[in-house]
Amino acid sequence: MAIPHQEKILHNLAEFLTSEQVSVNATIKELHGRDESYHAMQLPDIVVFPETAEQVSKIMKLSQQYAIPIVPFGLGSSLEGHVIPEQGGITVDFSLMNKVLHVDAEDFLVTVQPGVTRTQLNKELKKHGLFFSVDPGADATLGGMAATNASGTTSVKYGVMRDQVRDLEVVMADGTIIHTGNKAAKSSSGLHLNGLFVGSEGTLGCFTEMTLKVYGIPEFVTAARASFPSVKDAVEAVVSILQAGIPIARVELVDEQSMRQVNEYNDTAYLEKPTLFLEFHGNEAGLKQDVEFMEEIVQGHACEEIAFETDTAARNQLWEARHTLAYAYIHGYPGKKMMVTDVCLPISELANAVGHARENLEALGLPGGIVGHVGDGNFHALIMMNMEDPDEVARAQEFNGRIVEYALKRGGTCTGEHGVGLGKQKYQQQEHGAALEVMEKIKRALDPNNLLNPGKNIKVETKETIK
Amino acid sequence: MAIPHQEKILHNLAEFLTSEQVSVNATIKELHGRDESYHAMQLPDIVVFPETAEQVSKIMKLSQQYAIPIVPFGLGSSLEGHVIPEQGGITVDFSLMNKVLHVDAEDFLVTVQPGVTRTQLNKELKKHGLFFSVDPGADATLGGMAATNASGTTSVKYGVMRDQVRDLEVVMADGTIIHTGNKAAKSSSGLHLNGLFVGSEGTLGCFTEMTLKVYGIPEFVTAARASFPSVKDAVEAVVSILQAGIPIARVELVDEQSMRQVNEYNDTAYLEKPTLFLEFHGNEAGLKQDVEFMEEIVQGHACEEIAFETDTAARNQLWEARHTLAYAYIHGYPGKKMMVTDVCLPISELANAVGHARENLEALGLPGGIVGHVGDGNFHALIMMNMEDPDEVARAQEFNGRIVEYALKRGGTCTGEHGVGLGKQKYQQQEHGAALEVMEKIKRALDPNNLLNPGKNIKVETKETIK
């Protein structure tokens, strides 16, 4: 079923886009109707593939003219239904805007188009001895990572996506093209739009260019894998390492169930115990001292086995095992869909929160494991659901609700890095209270007709103002 | 001259504030009519000293009821006229809200009231082996530092004020009390209000409580002072140190003229050459290796003298000399007022920018020196002006304009850390372009009657909506 004015809109789009840049093909629409989450598919009416900010601006103007929603799309690796066009409309796919425009090694900056992926960027940066720090696991686009304020394994040292953004070129709802920042390391000029647009999930504008902070590849890197009798011991060891001021670059928790899944999927023989995957970056002497101190600390927390990996290949294998974990579960439970929870709490609350999550998984009879970016207080329960079994889906939803409730009561957040999308809408009032109204006022001020990814992140009612 | 309804407003204030908490005393008003800048004094009509967020909320409601502006006030150490009540009204002085509410050592967090000063906080934190990293020189209040997104000597390692804020309790224009964040290390929930409110200079709301990130006192600290034949050599040495990936905790440039002023004021005998003040934090072994590498690099940049200070007293003396520099100038030019420029550029542009500033100081016949947080690409020219000499004032303004112009053309900002206040208004359109309109829309959405520190940062026209 076509949207009102579909022919007119297609005619208008053809005025500035080639026929390859506009699609109403059923397969293309299906590819843009879902993400990697369990949320139900819904199709866009039209998919466009712009190549410039000016084209995006014209698309935005058509969106206003015909009151048709706009959904920006990177690679569809979001985990809460962010890119699902709930109300149909035009999906703006950024895959043709995939160029690394400028590497500025002296300033530790890179300027990219939003469709560039994380590994594509790192391949380019490696030539300059640089790397981009944010690593959410998936090979997402940088535009998508900025839209959700992605983070991941390295955030404990280098920060989240928001910390890396110096400037965004953004096309606003009315087609205006703005820059949210500049290339200086810091600024106290005006309101901080960088931070506001990062994490806005396409609800305030579409990103068309990004200037990001990059880092020199560290001189020395040491990785370690440490096994503990319990999750609590592992988490307490992390807290002690942080307390001691040892600068960790990565620290991931993988629970017993998930280590089993890792071994099955990767054909590895790691000890099937709660395990920390750690990494340290620095100079040779400093690293040696840090790692010795770390080893002493984990021994004090009943560590049962610790193995170090200093060469690159072995380190890559270690992180590969961690990164493929979600796929290991998907592979292990054919036909089921994955729900990934994403709470983040103050680190002092983490050990108990993980314990609470494990108890509730078991009480609700849900298969799944717990992994976490524990240096940040962020953990995920990966739950495999049979979407045909309404009771199992209801129990998974119940589980998610319980751990969110637990986190919010202890100063945490319902989503550490995945974003709100559709799945975390229901917790926004409880998490933000009166601040939610402030967010809604900003959304209404910048998208008065509610056409930018409507229904995601900040949900507002559409006013009856469109002719 | 009293404002309209002044008696009624005082009567209403007396309903929830004691007589000590409300003042119309001329001396008190004068103390709240200026900051540390050259901007002309203007008096508030009433000064209030609330003790709770609820009292601030009631003050905000009176502000709306009587259409009277609100100006929040910490200690008045702002440098661009931020706290000057240009349109009169009520100044809200936060000096009675000066309690460190909670030190949460395990989570590296502290919760404070906005009137707490930086040194007061650090005194409290020291008992826990912790410190607060942002050091703008002045012993400002933390509320004021958040309002301007202050930074300073340590930002190259620890980040700016915005990076430290986990949560703000904010009283909005209509009296609503919100929380902008939570206690988790990261979040992708909702819009990022923390970043938006930090640096908003009292134009979006008043802060009444803040949860801030703190750090463990580093195990080892080494400070150094390195002299160079030219400012260009010094800046290039810094770029090389950063390129080498050596983690600097502080790196300050003090030019020849300013070293002379330092020696005169502090009775020291430092070499009167362009000098870098450096500091490194880390473990013993790592620090030794970093410092050796750094020494090698500065020698390659024609360093003429390098002196190390490892003991706390000598280090403190070194930083004391740097921190008192502004006062050294004020002392050296009695009767004059100081204008401090504050551009920040990509580091690759810094050496030329500092050279350009020095040339223009000389071409315009202005006395003053250049200092800078060079690791961030941020530098200040300290210019002493005779406010009675319109020509000198005009030349200083001309100078400021020239270096801002220079920075903006090269991807920089007109203010790295001091904020916009009154002084940087005139550069906002050029710096932000179409983004300025987005900022104005946010300001109008959150302060529709334009009563929160009107005329500062984001300047909008007052609508005729007040009865």
Side-chain angles (χ1 to χ4, degrees):
Chain A
M1 199 190 72
I3 39 167
H5 314 295
Q6 174 146 335
E7 282 315 305
K8 271 199 241 170
I9 296 169
L10 288 170
H11 179 77
N12 287 148
L13 287 169
E15 287 169 6
F16 59 95
L17 298 176
T18 65
S19 58
E20 285 78 35
Q21 287 181 277
V22 184
S23 181
V24 291
N25 172 290
T27 313
I28 298 288
K29 292 206 287 193
E30 269 187 34
L31 285 171
H32 294 84
R34 59 182 173 226
D35 61 4
E36 291 189 4
S37 74
Y38 61 94
H39 295 283
M41 178 157 80
Q42 296 198 59
L43 300 185
D45 297 293
I46 303 170
V47 182
V48 293
F49 302 83
E51 289 180 313
T52 65
E54 289 65 34
Q55 291 176 352
V56 176
S57 173
K58 286 179 182 168
I59 296 162
M60 291 296 219
K61 285 175 185 163
L62 288 179
S63 145
Q64 294 295 316
Q65 189 182 336
Y66 294 103
I68 178 172
I70 291 283
V71 178
F73 188 99
L75 271 169
S77 57
S78 60
L79 291 169
E80 288 295 356
H82 301 72
V83 298
I84 298 173
E86 254 213 322
Q87 305 176 18
I90 302 176
T91 284
V92 183
D93 180 311
F94 285 94
S95 56
L96 298 183
M97 294 180 71
N98 66 344
K99 285 166 207 67
V100 176
L101 299 172
H102 186 59
V103 178
D104 186 350
E106 201 174 7
D107 290 318
F108 294 92
L109 292 177
V110 62
T111 303
V112 300
Q113 291 185 312
V116 171
T117 71
R118 179 174 71 81
T119 57
Q120 179 194 348
L121 176 60
N122 273 324
K123 208 174 146 191
E124 183 64 32
L125 289 174
K126 206 178 171 185
K127 302 176 197 163
H128 304 267
L130 299 169
F131 77 105
F132 181 70
S133 64
V134 184
D135 168 21
D139 188 21
T141 64
L142 293 160
M145 286 166 66
T148 54
N149 189 30
S151 49
T153 61
T154 60
S155 300
V156 63
K157 181 176 173 76
Y158 298 94
V160 300
M161 196 67 195
R162 184 172 281 125
D163 300 314
Q164 320 307 328
V165 172
R166 284 281 172 84
D167 181 40
L168 296 170
E169 183 182 74
V170 184
V171 183
M172 303 297 295
D174 64 3
T176 308
I177 301 172
I178 68 163
H179 278 262
T180 58
N182 54 56
K183 296 193 174 181
K186 62 185 198 184
S187 174
S188 287
S189 184
L191 297 177
H192 188 56
L193 297 184
N194 277 344
L196 183 68
F197 279 85
V198 174
S200 63
E201 303 184 1
T203 63
L204 302 181
C206 281
F207 308 154
T208 48
E209 202 177 291
M210 315 164 66
T211 297
L212 305 170
K213 206 169 150 184
V214 296
Y215 299 85
I217 293 173
E219 200 190 343
F220 280 86
V221 175
T222 301
R225 184 172 39 78
S227 310
F228 295 82
S230 76
V231 163
K232 203 165 157 55
D233 289 311
V235 174
E236 284 173 356
V238 174
V239 173
S240 296
I241 294 169
L242 292 170
Q243 285 286 337
I246 301 172
I248 316 182
R250 289 172 157 172
V251 55
E252 297 290 301
L253 170 73
V254 180
D255 77 349
E256 205 169 328
Q257 289 79 351
S258 304
M259 286 307 292
R260 205 146 47 227
Q261 213 71 38
V262 162
N263 280 340
E264 261 178 45
Y265 185 71
N266 296 280
D267 208 17
T268 45
Y270 296 135
L271 203 60
E272 292 179 359
K273 290 275 188 170
T275 302
L276 293 178
F277 290 49
L278 299 124
E279 195 170 281
F280 300 86
H281 298 173
N283 69 30
E284 194 172 9
L287 213 56
K288 189 165 172 286
Q289 188 175 337
D290 280 343
V291 168
E292 280 168 10
F293 192 11
M294 181 274 290
E295 201 173 348
E296 215 173 277
I297 290 170
V298 298
Q299 300 302 1
H301 286 278
C303 175
E304 296 183 351
E305 181 186 280
I306 184 160
F308 290 95
E309 312 284 11
T310 44
D311 80 293
T312 313
R315 260 193 352 255
N316 286 349
Q317 200 200 347
L318 190 76
W319 290 109
E320 182 73 9
R322 166 65 189 88
H323 276 145
T324 53
L325 187 57
Y327 301 107
Y329 271 104
I330 291 166
H331 192 258
Y333 293 86
K336 291 200 171 195
K337 284 271 191 184
M338 180 179 276
M339 177 193 273
V340 191
T341 73
D342 182 36
V343 295
C344 186
L345 303 94
I347 192 96
S348 63
E349 301 284 356
L350 188 65
N352 287 336
V354 171
H356 168 267
R358 169 54 59 200
E359 277 165 31
N360 279 274
L361 274 181
E362 276 155 27
L364 290 163
L366 291 164
I370 292 171
V371 297
H373 311 304
V374 283
D376 303 319
N378 181 210
F379 74 93
H380 308 302
L382 311 176
I383 308 160
M384 301 311 301
M385 304 184 289
N386 177 359
M387 297 301 288
E388 310 294 304
D389 178 352
D391 179 64
E392 190 165 88
V393 174
R395 279 180 287 126
Q397 295 280 13
E398 167 67 21
F399 173 76
N400 207 340
R402 284 187 196 176
I403 67 159
V404 167
E405 179 84 20
Y406 186 96
L408 294 184
K409 278 195 177 145
R410 288 158 182 85
T413 175
C414 71
T415 170
E417 55 182 19
H418 295 168
V420 176
L422 296 168
K424 295 286 165 65
Q425 283 293 343
K426 52 180 168 291
Y427 310 121
Q428 293 297 292
Q429 180 62 49
Q430 190 185 347
E431 175 159 350
H432 300 295
L436 193 59
E437 207 188 306
V438 172
M439 297 177 193
E440 289 165 0
K441 282 179 181 171
I442 294 170
K443 164 73 172 171
R444 284 198 200 95
L446 303 187
D447 179 24
N449 297 320
N450 191 28
L451 292 171
L452 300 184
N453 210 1
K456 314 296 166 49
N457 198 341
I458 299 308
K459 192 170 185 168
V460 294
E461 297 308 314
T462 304
K463 286 186 293 178
E464 302 291 322
T465 54
I466 310 276
K467 54 258 125 205
Chain B
M1 201 188 71
I3 40 170
H5 314 296
Q6 173 145 336
E7 282 315 305
K8 271 198 240 168
I9 296 169
L10 289 171
H11 178 78
N12 286 147
L13 287 169
E15 286 168 9
F16 59 94
L17 298 176
T18 66
S19 57
E20 285 80 33
Q21 289 181 276
V22 184
S23 180
V24 290
N25 172 289
T27 312
I28 299 288
K29 291 206 288 192
E30 269 187 33
L31 286 172
H32 294 83
R34 59 182 173 225
D35 61 6
E36 289 188 7
S37 73
Y38 60 95
H39 295 283
M41 178 157 81
Q42 298 197 58
L43 299 185
D45 297 293
I46 302 169
V47 182
V48 294
F49 301 83
E51 289 181 312
T52 65
E54 289 65 34
Q55 290 176 352
V56 176
S57 172
K58 286 180 182 167
I59 294 162
M60 291 295 219
K61 286 176 184 163
L62 288 179
S63 146
Q64 293 295 317
Q65 190 182 336
Y66 293 103
I68 180 172
I70 291 282
V71 179
F73 188 99
L75 270 171
S77 56
S78 59
L79 290 169
E80 289 293 356
H82 301 72
V83 298
I84 299 174
E86 254 212 322
Q87 306 176 18
I90 301 176
T91 284
V92 183
D93 180 313
F94 284 95
S95 56
L96 298 183
M97 293 178 74
N98 65 346
K99 282 166 208 67
V100 176
L101 298 172
H102 186 58
V103 178
D104 186 350
E106 201 175 7
D107 290 318
F108 293 93
L109 292 177
V110 63
T111 302
V112 300
Q113 291 184 314
V116 170
T117 70
R118 180 175 69 83
T119 56
Q120 179 194 349
L121 176 59
N122 273 324
K123 208 173 146 192
E124 183 64 33
L125 289 174
K126 205 177 171 185
K127 300 176 197 162
H128 304 267
L130 300 169
F131 77 105
F132 181 68
S133 63
V134 184
D135 167 22
D139 188 22
T141 63
L142 293 159
M145 287 166 66
T148 54
N149 188 30
S151 50
T153 63
T154 60
S155 300
V156 65
K157 181 176 172 78
Y158 298 94
V160 300
M161 195 66 194
R162 184 172 282 124
D163 300 315
Q164 320 309 328
V165 172
R166 284 281 172 85
D167 182 39
L168 296 171
E169 183 182 75
V170 184
V171 183
M172 303 297 296
D174 63 2
T176 308
I177 300 172
I178 68 163
H179 278 262
T180 59
N182 54 57
K183 296 194 175 181
K186 62 185 197 185
S187 174
S188 287
S189 184
L191 297 177
H192 188 56
L193 298 183
N194 277 344
L196 183 69
F197 279 85
V198 174
S200 63
E201 302 183 3
T203 63
L204 303 181
C206 282
F207 309 154
T208 47
E209 201 176 293
M210 316 164 66
T211 298
L212 304 169
K213 206 169 149 183
V214 296
Y215 299 85
I217 293 173
E219 199 191 341
F220 281 85
V221 176
T222 302
R225 183 173 40 78
S227 309
F228 295 83
S230 75
V231 163
K232 204 165 157 55
D233 289 312
V235 174
E236 285 173 355
V238 174
V239 173
S240 296
I241 294 168
L242 292 170
Q243 285 286 336
I246 302 173
I248 315 181
R250 289 172 157 172
V251 54
E252 297 289 302
L253 169 73
V254 180
D255 77 349
E256 206 171 326
Q257 288 79 352
S258 303
M259 285 307 293
R260 205 146 48 226
Q261 213 71 38
V262 162
N263 279 341
E264 260 179 46
Y265 185 70
N266 294 281
D267 208 16
T268 44
Y270 297 135
L271 202 59
E272 291 178 359
K273 291 273 186 172
T275 302
L276 293 178
F277 289 49
L278 298 124
E279 196 168 280
F280 301 86
H281 299 171
N283 70 32
E284 193 172 10
L287 213 57
K288 190 164 170 285
Q289 188 174 338
D290 281 343
V291 168
E292 280 167 10
F293 193 13
M294 179 274 288
E295 201 172 349
E296 217 172 278
I297 290 170
V298 299
Q299 300 302 1
H301 285 279
C303 175
E304 296 183 352
E305 182 184 278
I306 184 160
F308 290 95
E309 312 284 13
T310 44
D311 82 291
T312 312
R315 263 196 347 258
N316 286 348
Q317 200 200 347
L318 190 75
W319 291 108
E320 181 74 9
R322 166 65 188 90
H323 276 146
T324 54
L325 187 56
Y327 302 107
Y329 271 103
I330 291 165
H331 193 258
Y333 294 85
K336 293 200 170 196
K337 283 270 192 185
M338 180 177 277
M339 177 192 274
V340 190
T341 74
D342 181 35
V343 293
C344 186
L345 304 95
I347 192 99
S348 62
E349 302 284 355
L350 187 65
N352 288 335
V354 171
H356 168 267
R358 170 52 61 201
E359 277 165 30
N360 278 275
L361 274 180
E362 275 155 29
L364 290 162
L366 292 164
I370 292 172
V371 296
H373 311 304
V374 283
D376 302 319
N378 181 210
F379 74 92
H380 307 301
L382 311 176
I383 308 159
M384 302 311 301
M385 305 183 290
N386 177 358
M387 298 301 285
E388 310 294 305
D389 178 351
D391 180 64
E392 190 164 88
V393 173
R395 279 180 287 126
Q397 295 281 11
E398 167 67 21
F399 172 77
N400 208 339
R402 285 187 196 175
I403 68 158
V404 167
E405 179 84 19
Y406 186 96
L408 294 185
K409 279 197 177 144
R410 287 159 183 83
T413 175
C414 71
T415 170
E417 56 181 18
H418 294 170
V420 176
L422 297 167
K424 295 287 164 66
Q425 283 293 340
K426 53 180 169 291
Y427 310 120
Q428 293 297 291
Q429 180 62 49
Q430 190 186 346
E431 175 158 348
H432 300 295
L436 193 59
E437 206 187 306
V438 172
M439 297 176 193
E440 288 165 2
K441 283 179 182 172
I442 294 170
K443 165 73 172 171
R444 283 198 200 96
L446 303 187
D447 180 24
N449 296 321
N450 192 25
L451 292 171
L452 300 184
N453 209 1
K456 315 294 165 55
N457 197 341
I458 299 307
K459 192 169 183 169
V460 294
E461 298 307 313
T462 304
K463 287 185 294 178
E464 301 293 322
T465 54
I466 311 275
K467 55 259 126 208

